[in-house]
Amino acid sequence: MQIPIKISNDGSEEWMMLELQGDLESRTQTKMSNKFIGDLHFTKQGVPVLIIGHHILHGKVMDMDKPFVIMNKIQTDTCMEVPESDTDEELDVLYNIKAVVKKKLIFKNRPKPIIASSVNNV
Amino acid sequence: MSCIERTVEDVQKLIHHAKLTEDELLPVTQTLEFSPEYGEASQEMVMMEVDPTLLSTMKQGDSIVLRGDPEAGVVLCTNNKTYEVREAETSNSLVLVPQLALPSKDSTGERTLENCQVCSIHYKYLELRPCKPRVEKLQQVLEEHPYSGPQEDDLTDTSKGKKYAWNDLLNRVQCSEEELDQALRDLEAYHIYGFWQILEFDYRFKVVSHILQLIETKSWALDCVPYKESVEILSELEPRAVMVQCFEYYLAPTDNENESGDALYTLQDDKICRLCAEVLLKSADKYNLNEFLSIWQQSVPEGLTTNMSQLEGLALVDRSGSADAISYFPVSSLPSGIQERFNCLFETREKWSIEEIRPYIMDLTGEKTPVNALLTKYARASTSNGIKYYSGRHAR
């Protein structure tokens, strides 16, 4: 069986990736959509600084030796022409490359807690 | 268009809490949040690691196809290369943020907020590794329905298996189109009425014999066989498509033409001799080597010379008895898995010299695994009378 990979017109779009140790979890088991995660700053030296909740992380910008392509699976409509001589139905699925990731912000160190000098709701 | 009501003051307050100063930070703060569609099935995305060369191939718009097989997993194919696809896991979170930007280091001004949405988080990605084309299956597939001549076009005959067109083959065989094309040539496959088929052995010999007889009848020199004239005459005997392809498999073009402008071809000695040997070897279990060599030489057209190197991977010589014997042992009949192949070889014969075993494992070699590397891994070497022999690792 064969699944073609297509690159869409905006496939040359470049996305960015954050690489974090561990996992991003919500303290309440609610849906993540629309939830705020944190603030990302860059120092004047170009070091990314990420503040998530009560944690601060210092990272660095890395060029990836091997880029990532980001694909989504597309179920094409049946109105597409059926290729002759072929009986496998799987052909109406394809992977579409939406974007390429060439750089990432990597946060290798464990997050440091922020000890609030004045206790406030953060 | 943030869904979160976050103000510059909130951000500044947090900077202060974190014991950072605004002076050391660039003025743009990117506030991260999950997109409204985060976690929805429609947003499901796959990440695949690709090397820069492959990426540029993709961007040129060359065809890229995943070819899956229920047992062998998935490969990715470009026009001419095959890569094994594996899933890799990481304990880190890979967070995709499409809009995230690297700010310019000399930007100044008031603090501003840019909203960035996380569209997905990944713990797995696909890894690609260049691999050999997995063409073993091609032989198996083509053997389902070998072509045995024009009489079989009778469609009511359902005793034979499926026939495969180009795209059917690509559905079954895990390799790129260029590699498939090469593999079809290596197997001597024919494109007949839209399907790729190998010729049934007796029929193949019959077709080649037509060519040899024509050369003899016309008293042409073996290296001066006119292409057009031959194909014209031969097409009266067998389908033109078969004759043309057979001609090209067993003869090679020369740079010469005859007086009527017809391209001249030369017989490929080794292939003809090998085919004649195969006819003989298939018809008996075993031959006395000397007898075989003499019948074989008589069976080939005058002007061709047989020699043992033409039989590599086709026949085995047994020198253990009082008289040397030869028997049919084609590499094409052996398993394609490396371990299975070695098991089978060492079952057939306990000890092999390097010259003997090489033709039977050549097709298993890869860039990083030449014959020697395979032998080191799958066989045990021993020396007897100054000759190095290879036997099974677990042989007694």
Side-chain angles (χ1 to χ4, degrees):
Chain A
M1 111 187 214
Q2 305 183 73
I3 302 177
I5 297 180
K6 301 277 178 219
I7 191 153
S8 54
N9 298 333
D10 55 354
S12 49
E13 198 178 312
E14 196 174 329
W15 288 5
M16 204 66 90
M17 184 170 88
L18 305 181
E19 185 167 342
L20 304 173
Q21 281 215 326
D23 211 346
L24 281 181
E25 271 173 18
S26 155
R27 249 180 297 175
T28 51
Q29 292 300 311
T30 50
K31 268 178 67 184
M32 306 272 248
S33 54
N34 277 332
K35 290 272 158 30
F36 172 67
I37 301 167
D39 294 334
L40 176 69
H41 302 274
F42 282 88
T43 69
K44 289 188 171 156
Q45 287 75 42
V47 176
V49 180
L50 183 61
I51 303 176
I52 300 182
H54 294 282
H55 293 98
I56 181 166
L57 297 96
H58 292 263
K60 69 174 181 190
V61 182
M62 265 180 77
D63 288 318
M64 293 156 70
D65 292 341
K66 288 188 175 178
F68 278 138
V69 292
I70 312 299
M71 311 184 286
N72 60 345
K73 205 175 191 173
I74 296 181
Q75 211 95 25
T76 48
D77 293 337
T78 36
C79 64
M80 245 183 68
E81 280 174 57
V82 180
E84 80 290 3
S85 85
D86 207 273
T87 47
D88 291 315
E89 300 110 36
E90 291 97 347
L91 265 176
D92 53 7
V93 171
L94 66 87
Y95 278 103
N96 174 51
I97 299 180
K98 291 174 71 115
V100 181
V101 180
K102 292 177 177 166
K103 284 188 166 95
K104 64 182 175 185
L105 307 185
I106 180 160
F107 297 88
K108 270 190 199 160
N109 302 323
R110 287 182 65 87
K112 280 189 232 137
I114 297 172
I115 300 141
S117 39
S118 59
V119 182
N120 263 320
N121 54 332
V122 175
Chain B
M1 352 161 279
S2 172
C3 321
I4 311 287
E5 309 269 317
R6 198 162 165 76
T7 63
V8 175
E9 290 71 43
D10 292 336
V11 172
Q12 283 168 334
K13 209 150 117 194
L14 192 55
I15 292 176
H16 174 70
H17 273 304
K19 300 198 178 68
L20 295 167
T21 60
E22 288 219 53
D23 285 350
E24 58 184 315
L25 300 176
L26 293 173
V28 177
T29 303
Q30 303 183 70
T31 59
L32 303 179
E33 66 186 39
F34 289 106
S35 69
E37 302 85 19
Y38 180 85
E40 282 174 22
S42 64
Q43 298 299 301
E44 223 165 86
M45 280 179 277
V46 180
M47 295 211 300
M48 185 166 69
E49 192 188 62
V50 295
D51 61 52
T53 343
L54 182 55
L55 184 62
S56 54
T57 311
M58 288 174 158
K59 287 198 166 175
Q60 281 163 19
D62 285 4
S63 124
I64 308 281
V65 185
L66 294 169
R67 300 206 160 91
D69 180 274
E71 287 123 50
V74 178
V75 298
L76 178 141
C77 304
T78 64
N79 285 336
N80 55 10
K81 286 201 190 75
T82 304
Y83 299 82
E84 187 182 6
V85 180
R86 286 198 195 175
E87 193 173 70
E89 269 186 77
T90 160
S91 58
N92 290 355
S93 309
L94 306 175
V95 183
L96 282 181
V97 199
Q99 307 302 327
L100 194 136
L102 296 179
S104 134
K105 279 183 197 173
D106 39 54
S107 53
T108 51
E110 289 294 296
R111 182 146 306 276
T112 54
L113 303 189
E114 300 271 351
N115 183 251
C116 288
Q117 298 191 333
V118 167
C119 65
S120 57
I121 300 184
H122 298 257
Y123 306 94
K124 286 176 181 165
Y125 58 91
L126 301 177
E127 252 181 359
L128 301 177
R129 218 174 275 194
C131 69
K132 289 213 306 175
R134 298 182 179 163
V135 290
E136 308 82 31
K137 200 156 198 175
L138 183 60
Q139 187 189 347
Q140 198 184 316
V141 158
L142 293 180
E143 275 169 359
E144 288 177 31
H145 191 149
Y147 184 78
S148 56
Q151 75 288 347
E152 77 164 42
D153 295 337
D154 176 10
L155 292 172
T156 52
D157 182 10
T158 49
S159 62
K160 288 207 161 189
K162 187 172 152 54
K163 291 200 280 191
Y164 292 85
W166 180 252
N167 200 44
D168 303 328
L169 290 175
L170 288 172
N171 270 333
R172 296 291 302 276
V173 184
Q174 293 187 292
C175 65
S176 68
E177 299 207 21
E178 262 183 38
E179 288 161 336
L180 178 62
D181 190 61
Q182 185 57 48
L184 284 166
R185 284 168 210 277
D186 293 345
L187 281 174
E188 246 177 71
Y190 288 68
H191 193 217
I192 306 168
Y193 307 123
F195 296 102
W196 284 95
Q197 292 181 280
I198 46 175
L199 300 189
E200 195 251 318
F201 185 80
D202 292 342
Y203 181 67
R204 171 153 62 109
F205 185 59
K206 181 175 155 193
V207 176
V208 176
S209 302
H210 286 323
I211 299 178
L212 300 179
Q213 273 157 24
L214 178 70
I215 295 172
E216 201 184 320
T217 325
K218 293 277 185 180
S219 308
W220 286 325
L222 297 183
D223 59 352
C224 295
V225 186
Y227 178 84
K228 273 190 215 142
E229 189 181 347
S230 308
V231 168
E232 241 23 84
I233 301 170
L234 293 165
S235 297
E236 285 165 21
L237 303 170
E238 298 297 337
R240 190 182 171 90
V242 174
M243 283 318 319
V244 167
Q245 290 171 82
C246 182
F247 196 89
E248 283 168 357
Y249 274 129
Y250 287 91
L251 289 92
T254 64
D255 289 333
N256 306 322
E257 289 181 353
N258 65 9
E259 54 282 5
S260 43
D262 202 348
L264 293 176
Y265 275 58
T266 177
L267 215 51
Q268 297 195 43
D269 304 18
D270 289 350
K271 285 183 97 168
I272 300 286
C273 291
R274 188 177 167 97
L275 181 64
C276 293
E278 198 167 356
V279 173
L280 294 171
L281 289 163
K282 272 169 100 94
S283 66
D285 283 349
K286 217 177 222 184
Y287 283 91
N288 172 294
L289 181 61
N290 288 329
E291 280 172 26
F292 171 79
L293 290 175
S294 105
I295 324 171
W296 182 27
Q297 181 58 57
Q298 287 162 32
S299 76
V300 302
E302 233 181 288
L304 298 190
T305 314
T306 58
N307 75 69
M308 286 301 285
S309 70
Q310 293 158 344
L311 302 185
E312 275 198 354
L314 192 67
L316 262 191
V317 176
D318 181 2
R319 301 187 193 275
S320 63
S322 51
D324 293 351
I326 186 165
S327 57
Y328 187 50
F329 190 62
V331 64
S332 58
S333 68
L334 300 176
S336 53
I338 300 183
Q339 186 63 61
E340 294 76 20
R341 174 76 59 87
F342 274 97
N343 290 348
C344 185
L345 290 173
F346 292 127
E347 267 164 38
T348 307
R349 177 175 286 188
E350 219 174 290
K351 285 182 170 183
W352 298 70
S353 70
I354 179 92
E355 292 75 25
E356 287 169 338
I357 204 164
R358 184 186 284 119
Y360 289 101
I361 55 175
M362 264 314 284
D363 61 319
L364 305 175
T365 58
E367 222 170 275
K368 284 175 191 147
T369 47
V371 167
N372 285 336
L374 285 177
L375 287 170
T376 311
K377 187 164 178 198
Y378 294 96
R380 196 176 56 173
S382 60
T383 309
S384 149
N385 297 330
I387 301 170
K388 205 168 184 183
Y389 287 101
Y390 293 91
S391 49
R393 290 217 79 123
H394 307 293
R396 281 150 290 154

